[in-house]
Amino acid sequence: MKYSSSLTDAEWEFLEPLLPQILSAKKRTRPCNWTKRELLDGILYQLKNGCNWEDLPKDLPPYSTVLLALAFSGEVLV
């Protein structure tokens, strides 16, 4: 489902090449179930709406996953 805070395709095309520079590579034991775009949409949803992390809509990644993505990139995004 699209929200007013969701990235448009044009915005995503602009941001996607920049993500390897912003998001630090971390050692993974298994592939992530969510795309970087979905994680970024979760972060933007929370920032725009000011809701509690636990109140993210169910069609976005779980709040704990979104929060970890923000924590791993926190020095750049904050």
Side-chain angles (χ1 to χ4, degrees), residues 59-73:
D59 58 330
L60 290 173
Y63 78 91
S64 57
T65 304
V66 174
L67 200 52
L68 280 175
L70 181 61
F72 279 114
S73 60

Side-chain angles (χ1 to χ4, degrees), residues 12 14-26 36 76:
W12 179 246
F14 178 79
L15 284 175
E16 187 178 23
L18 302 174
L19 287 181
Q21 299 169 12
I22 295 171
L23 298 175
S24 60
K26 67 179 187 117
K36 289 181 180 178
V76 175

Side-chain angles (χ1 to χ4, degrees), residues 1-37:
M1 176 178 253
K2 291 285 186 181
Y3 298 98
S4 61
S5 60
S6 296
L7 295 171
T8 64
D9 289 337
E11 292 169 332
W12 179 246
E13 286 178 25
F14 178 79
L15 284 175
E16 187 178 23
L18 302 174
L19 287 181
Q21 299 169 12
I22 295 171
L23 298 175
S24 60
K26 67 179 187 117
K27 185 178 178 181
R28 292 189 197 174
T29 56
R30 63 184 173 92
C32 185
N33 294 334
W34 302 94
T35 65
K36 289 181 180 178
R37 184 175 185 169

Side-chain angles (χ1 to χ4, degrees), residues 33-63:
N33 294 334
W34 302 94
T35 65
K36 289 181 180 178
R37 184 175 185 169
E38 291 169 321
L39 293 171
L40 195 53
D41 278 344
I43 292 169
L44 293 174
Y45 182 91
Q46 195 280 335
L47 290 173
K48 181 178 186 289
N49 295 299
C51 66
N52 292 326
W53 285 106
E54 296 87 356
D55 295 333
L56 287 177
K58 299 298 181 202
D59 58 330
L60 290 173
Y63 78 91

